[in-house]
């Protein structure tokens, strides 16, 4: 929320006429004369260092080495207005959180600064420390004042928890030669590529995010009767998942896709204003972001009435076959693009078998003249996953799509088949069916691990899940 505009004055100064508000009475002198007094001392308890602190320190050391002699600025970002005096919930820039270890409780406008020294950098985290109780901000600033949004952390506390030197934001000054994440292409690329391989802390956070997400999917299945009953059942799905993400995590990592019936063919359907009707499939793509800001990204497609029809099952199991083939092909040393190529080869073969393609599977798979099967899956099969749902988005293609799978990488495998309701190239029984199965995969030296394997995946498992018999 925007401030009422009088922060910075002291409580004992006569109050300025506040022209920004027509709904508040001015504070009287009795209030102004006493509001700064009568407060207990804040206990000086220094918190313990957080578990992520040594990991973030190693990331900062790596970044320092990549940019010797240059001043680097990594902003957390600012609050963004939603409307009038309401803002979107604050969520720090991923590079900032990755390099500081400061997650859901990061402060808006904070900046991490790497000041070059003779043998590296001095790193300082600047943020707006808790205001003194003698300031008007304390009681009257609805945007950042303690009376309104609660206390902000203090410099020593954050320094102790994160293991970084801290200073007040007022002491930060931008320099002409600063390299700023978001503005400088090289720096932005490097902080993105640094995240391609996850450390042990990050992997543990990914497991946690998947766990919360799995609970959210269980909640959805448990609530299917009221989801079906409601005229906007898709919204109920979204709300049920959101409740889990907020109670057990920080938020959803991206807007939940609750796409029932033909909506499943719209890849990022987040309007979620449709009914969930028995006989249809519902595609749910959802991920909980935990307090460290790491997120899962998982899709399951469920038969609303509890059992797949023959055609739904055929399509579903083909998508699963494609996902399983990509998983089987994944191992350290193969290219990332192998995942996509392997999944698509299955889909081309099956759609050709079903008579949906005007050419053979081999012809469809020709890189230049083919691609006919892509009509039914226009998206990619895999993306890196981590502190961003589409993590490492600024990495070079040779590090990403053309890069090599390595232990510590976390990525999705998410093939799908989508037959639009008005696609006259397919028999009528296919139309309006969309299926995606998306799992979160950790690459290890011994091969891939499906972090989301505990969420029912096969058609039989999914039916048992809805029947209340989730496999152990
Ligand atoms: N939820 C977006 C994606 O699967 O990439
Ligand atoms: Mn995804
Ligand atoms: Mn997804």
């Amino acid at each position: 929320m925007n401030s009422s505009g009088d922060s910075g004055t002291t409580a004992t100064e006569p109050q300025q006429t506040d022209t920004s508000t027509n709904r508040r009475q001015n504070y009287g002198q009795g209030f102004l004369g006493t509001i700064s007094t009568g407060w207990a001392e804040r206990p000086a308890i220094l918190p313990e260092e957080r578990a992520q602190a040594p990991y973030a320190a190693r990331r900062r050391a790596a970044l320092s080495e990549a940019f010797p002699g240059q001043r680097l600025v990594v902003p957390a970002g600012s609050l963004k207005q939603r409307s009038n005096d309401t803002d979107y919930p604050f969520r720090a820039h991923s590079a900032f959180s990755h390099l500081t270890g400061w997650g859901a409780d990061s402060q808006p406008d904070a900046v991490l600064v790497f000041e070059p020294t003779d043998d590296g950098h001095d790193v300082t985290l600047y943020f707006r420390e808790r205001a003194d109780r003698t300031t008007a901000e304390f009681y009257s600033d609805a945007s950042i004042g303690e009376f309104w949004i609660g206390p902000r952390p203090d410099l020593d506390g954050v320094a102790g928890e994160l293991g970084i030197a801290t200073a007040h934001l007022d002491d930060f000054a931008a320099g002409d030669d600063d390299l700023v994440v978001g503005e400088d292409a090289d720096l932005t690329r490097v902080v993105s590529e640094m995240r391609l391989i996850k450390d042990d802390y990050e992997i543990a956070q990914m497991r946690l995010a998947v766990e919360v997400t799995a609970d959210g999917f269980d909640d959805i299945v448990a609530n299917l009767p009221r989801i079906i009953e409601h005229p906007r059942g898709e919204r109920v799905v979204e709300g049920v998942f959101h409740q889990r993400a907020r109670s057990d995590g920080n938020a959803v990592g991206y807007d939940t896709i609750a796409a029932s019936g033909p909506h499943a063919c719209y890849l990022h359907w987040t309007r979620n204003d449709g009914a969930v009707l028995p006989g249809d499939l519902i595609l749910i793509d959802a991920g909980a972001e935990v307090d460290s800001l790491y997120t899962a990204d998982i899709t399951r497609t469920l038969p609303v009435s509890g059992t797949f029809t023959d055609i739904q099952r055929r399509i579903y199991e083909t998508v699963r076959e494609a996902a399983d083939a990509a998983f089987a092909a994944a191992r350290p040393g193969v290219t990332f693009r192998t995942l996509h190529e392997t999944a698509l080869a299955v889909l081309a073969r099956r759609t050709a078998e079903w008579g949906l393609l005007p050419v053979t599977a081999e012809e469809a798979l020709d890189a230049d003249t083919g691609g006919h099967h892509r009509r039914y899956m226009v998206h990619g099969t895999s993306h890196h996953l981590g502190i961003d749902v589409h993590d490492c988005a600024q990495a070079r293609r040779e590090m990403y799509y053309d890069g090599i799978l390595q232990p510590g990488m976390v990525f999705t495998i998410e093939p799908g088949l989508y037959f639009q309701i008005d696609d006259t190239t397919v028999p009528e029984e296919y139309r309006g069916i969309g299926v995606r199965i998306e799992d979160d995969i950790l690459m290890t030296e011994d091969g891939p691990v499906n972090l989301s394997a505990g969420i029912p995946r096969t058609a039989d498992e999914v039916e048992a899940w809805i029947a209340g018999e989730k496999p152990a």
Side-chain angles (χ1 to χ4, degrees):
M1 285 201 243
N2 292 332
S3 136
S4 60
D6 56 355
S7 66
T9 59
T10 63
T12 46
E13 284 171 11
Q15 192 176 341
Q16 307 272 314
T17 306
D18 184 350
T19 54
S20 71
T21 175
N22 53 6
R23 56 192 158 89
R24 260 201 234 164
Q25 191 182 45
N26 280 350
Y27 302 108
Q29 282 305 324
F31 172 93
L32 295 170
T34 57
I35 189 64
S36 298
T37 60
W39 305 109
E41 279 298 309
R42 298 185 199 274
I45 302 167
L46 278 188
E48 293 202 356
E49 191 172 89
R50 297 185 187 180
Q52 66 268 38
Y55 294 93
R58 281 194 282 276
R59 299 170 202 154
R60 290 194 296 277
L63 187 63
S64 167
E65 218 167 286
F67 291 92
Q70 290 184 286
R71 191 170 190 256
L72 313 177
V73 176
V74 189
S78 302
L79 283 168
K80 289 196 170 33
Q81 182 188 33
R82 181 171 185 274
S83 177
N84 186 33
D85 61 353
T86 54
D87 295 319
Y88 291 102
F90 178 70
R91 198 277 194 190
H93 191 288
S94 294
F96 174 88
S97 277
H98 185 244
L99 290 164
T100 57
W102 213 3
D105 59 339
S106 305
Q107 291 296 305
D109 302 324
V111 273
L112 183 70
V113 178
F114 291 66
E115 198 73 55
T117 62
D118 289 344
D119 58 350
H121 291 84
D122 283 340
V123 183
T124 305
L125 173 58
Y126 294 87
F127 67 95
R128 199 179 289 110
E129 197 190 17
R130 173 156 63 200
D132 198 272
R133 282 162 170 155
T134 60
T135 64
E137 177 200 302
F138 169 53
Y139 63 86
S140 76
D141 190 320
S143 173
I144 58 173
E146 181 169 336
F147 254 72
W148 298 80
I149 63 160
R152 294 196 298 277
D154 64 309
L155 294 177
D156 288 345
V158 173
E161 285 185 295
L162 301 181
I164 312 178
T166 53
H168 196 286
L169 187 59
D170 290 349
D171 298 331
F172 166 69
D176 289 342
D177 299 325
D178 289 352
L179 302 185
V180 183
V181 169
E183 293 174 10
D184 183 82
D186 274 350
L187 177 59
T188 303
R189 173 180 61 73
V190 169
V191 297
S192 201
E193 289 176 353
M194 279 176 66
R195 304 206 303 267
L196 284 165
I197 308 239
K198 273 63 181 174
D199 59 35
D200 289 348
Y201 174 79
E202 293 179 288
I203 291 167
Q205 292 303 302
M206 290 306 304
R207 288 185 185 278
L208 185 62
V210 168
E211 214 173 282
V212 177
T213 301
D215 287 344
F217 272 92
D218 279 340
D219 294 342
I220 291 167
V221 168
N223 277 279
L224 269 176
R226 83 180 170 96
I227 288 164
I228 293 166
E229 214 168 85
H230 197 285
R232 291 206 297 186
E234 291 176 347
R235 286 286 167 91
V236 183
V237 171
E238 179 185 329
V240 165
F241 189 81
H242 189 255
Q243 180 174 340
R244 176 66 70 169
R246 282 292 284 167
S247 63
D248 293 10
N250 178 51
V252 287
Y254 54 92
D255 288 342
T256 296
I257 297 164
S260 199
H263 289 162
C265 301
Y266 305 126
L267 303 174
H268 286 174
W269 174 260
T270 54
R271 220 179 292 166
N272 300 346
D273 59 357
V276 177
L277 302 174
D280 281 344
L281 298 179
I282 178 167
L283 182 158
I284 303 159
D285 183 341
E289 173 188 278
V290 290
D291 286 343
S292 56
L293 305 184
Y294 288 78
T295 187
D297 178 13
I298 295 170
T299 305
R300 290 293 184 263
T301 305
L302 315 175
V304 174
S305 51
T307 47
F308 291 94
T309 64
D310 288 348
I311 181 78
Q312 288 169 347
R313 179 178 272 264
R314 188 191 320 158
I315 296 167
Y316 185 92
E317 287 291 86
T318 295
V319 171
R320 185 170 69 85
E321 184 189 352
D324 289 352
F327 184 81
R331 60 185 174 276
V334 307
T335 55
F336 188 83
R337 62 187 302 152
T338 304
L339 304 170
H340 187 53
E341 289 165 355
T342 305
L344 280 183
V346 171
L347 299 182
R349 211 167 52 240
R350 292 292 180 213
T351 51
E353 265 172 35
W354 298 340
L356 305 185
L357 305 184
V359 294
T360 65
E362 289 65 36
E363 287 165 336
L365 287 166
D366 185 280
D368 295 323
T369 58
H372 304 77
H373 53 299
R374 296 299 305 280
R375 181 184 183 98
Y376 311 119
M377 180 183 136
V378 296
H379 62 75
T381 300
S382 296
H383 57 82
H384 282 272
L385 179 68
I387 205 163
D388 272 326
V389 59
H390 296 153
D391 210 27
C392 315
Q394 282 79 33
R396 285 165 292 176
R397 186 181 171 93
E398 59 263 38
M399 304 277 285
Y400 200 128
Y401 191 64
D402 294 331
I404 302 291
L405 293 177
Q406 296 175 59
M409 287 183 167
V410 177
F411 51 86
T412 64
I413 292 181
E414 51 174 308
L417 278 174
Y418 313 88
F419 301 104
Q420 308 280 333
I421 189 89
D422 53 357
D423 188 341
T424 58
T425 71
V426 298
E428 218 159 307
E429 57 172 352
Y430 286 82
R431 296 182 202 162
I433 296 179
V435 172
R436 177 162 65 253
I437 303 172
E438 178 173 25
D439 285 288
D440 298 347
I441 312 299
L442 165 68
M443 185 53 73
T444 74
E445 279 170 17
D446 302 326
V449 175
N450 183 350
L451 301 178
S452 43
I455 308 176
R457 283 183 81 248
T458 69
D460 287 344
E461 284 169 0
V462 167
E463 287 182 351
W465 189 22
I466 298 172
E469 302 150 10
K470 186 174 171 182

